[in-house]
Amino acid sequence: DGGITQSPKYLFRKEGQNVTLSCEQNLNHDAMYWYRQDPGQGLRLIYYSQIVNDFQKGDIAEGYSVSREKKESFPLTVTSAQKNPTAFYLCASSMMTGSGNSQPQHFGDGTRLSIL
Amino acid sequence: QKEVEQDPGPLSVPEGAIVSLNCTYSNSAFQYFMWYRQYSRKGPELLMYTYSSGNKEDGRFTAQVDKSSKYISLFIRDSQPSDSATYLCAMSGIGANNLFFGTGTRLTVIP
């Protein structure tokens, strides 16, 4: 079954701790994205990557870091600098946008991060 | 002003009703329009994907785009309890990877 796998489903962070959220896709998509979802605020883009070893900041990148060493994988680290990390984190992927079109994004089932 | 506005609801309808969900937007560069369905504690699932103005039908679902009014709609016919979810609109410009999302409308279909 092709899809996007996020793990863990639930994650707890202690004060001062960095935590890493996993995202793996087997859709052969070039582009991958991380969003944060908070009640009443919709999805906000944290980081995205269009190609291996390259990524760009989204609207709310402060306190987060990413890597893209493999096409299939795009892990997100929530650092201790992120003072309000409690949220639902969603990973998505899409085919690369060619000239003149835009491809829909497909989502994983999310990781819910809470502070201990 | 947000780029995409969506009434958060909640919206409750009886089973079998026709549901109308709507979003407005401000950026005239948006050309691609999507509707996602999100069940509780799950990721959004792509329902409809349309380009520019017009209608698109898929089973009980119809997506409508009116670019002159900057207004998009999703209609659900013969609504079922399994349609109870949050519906998110999303849109993007030509050649753009980034999506702009509405905040979502929570729908409950009552048996």
Side-chain angles (χ1 to χ4, degrees), chain B residues 3-14:
Chain B
E3 296 216 58
V4 181
E5 299 276 1
Q6 185 175 8
D7 186 338
L11 180 63
S12 291
V13 300

Side-chain angles (χ1 to χ4, degrees), chain B residues 56-105:
Chain B
K56 182 176 181 179
E57 189 174 321
D58 184 0
R60 297 184 295 111
F61 298 91
T62 299
Q64 202 169 74
V65 175
D66 181 350
K67 289 191 65 189
S68 62
S69 302
K70 295 190 180 68
Y71 188 87
I72 69 170
S73 300
L74 177 71
F75 297 97
I76 307 174
R77 289 184 300 282
D78 187 26
S79 56
Q80 302 295 309
S82 58
D83 295 328
S84 298
T86 297
Y87 290 80
L88 300 161
C89 64
M91 47 199 78
S92 68
I94 290 179
N97 282 104
N98 295 0
L99 293 182
F100 293 83
F101 285 87
T103 53
T105 300

Side-chain angles (χ1 to χ4, degrees), chain B residues 15-76:
Chain B
E15 183 175 353
I18 296 174
V19 175
S20 172
L21 304 167
N22 310 294
C23 288
T24 59
Y25 62 96
S26 57
N27 189 340
S28 58
F30 289 151
Q31 298 281 348
Y32 294 90
F33 304 92
M34 285 139 270
W35 285 96
Y36 288 87
R37 178 175 62 196
Q38 186 176 21
Y39 292 114
S40 181
R41 300 186 189 89
K42 293 286 191 180
E45 169 196 7
L46 181 67
L47 271 181
M48 301 290 278
Y49 173 57
T50 56
Y51 169 69
S52 197
S53 285
N55 292 0
K56 182 176 181 179
E57 189 174 321
D58 184 0
R60 297 184 295 111
F61 298 91
T62 299
Q64 202 169 74
V65 175
D66 181 350
K67 289 191 65 189
S68 62
S69 302
K70 295 190 180 68
Y71 188 87
I72 69 170
S73 300
L74 177 71
F75 297 97
I76 307 174

Side-chain angles (χ1 to χ4, degrees), chain A:
Chain A
D1 250 286
I4 300 171
T5 301
Q6 290 188 242
S7 62
K9 196 170 178 66
Y10 299 97
L11 188 58
F12 297 91
R13 194 191 91 169
K14 295 179 183 177
E15 288 288 337
Q17 186 182 40
N18 294 351
V19 292
T20 297
L21 285 60
S22 170
C23 178
E24 304 275 334
Q25 55 97 0
N26 60 4
L27 299 167
N28 200 32
H29 286 168
D30 288 298
M32 297 186 73
Y33 312 81
W34 274 105
Y35 292 91
R36 170 178 171 142
Q37 188 175 34
D38 295 280
Q41 293 199 48
L43 275 69
R44 291 184 290 168
L45 183 64
I46 303 172
Y47 269 99
Y48 67 99
S49 167
Q50 297 179 325
I51 195 169
V52 172
N53 292 323
D54 188 43
F55 45 82
Q56 285 77 41
K57 292 182 180 181
D59 300 320
I60 55 165
E62 187 174 345
Y64 300 97
S65 66
V66 293
S67 62
R68 186 89 186 275
E69 296 177 2
K70 299 187 299 182
K71 184 176 181 178
E72 302 80 18
S73 178
F74 191 40
L76 173 74
T77 296
V78 183
T79 74
S80 57
Q82 172 49 246
K83 297 306 178 189
N84 184 23
T86 298
F88 190 48
Y89 290 87
L90 287 160
C91 178
S93 70
S94 72
M95 294 174 65
M96 265 303 293
T97 300
S99 59
N101 65 2
S102 181
Q103 300 296 331
Q105 294 177 17
H106 301 269
F107 287 83
D109 274 340
T111 292
R112 188 164 298 278
L113 176 62
S114 303
I115 292 187
L116 279 177

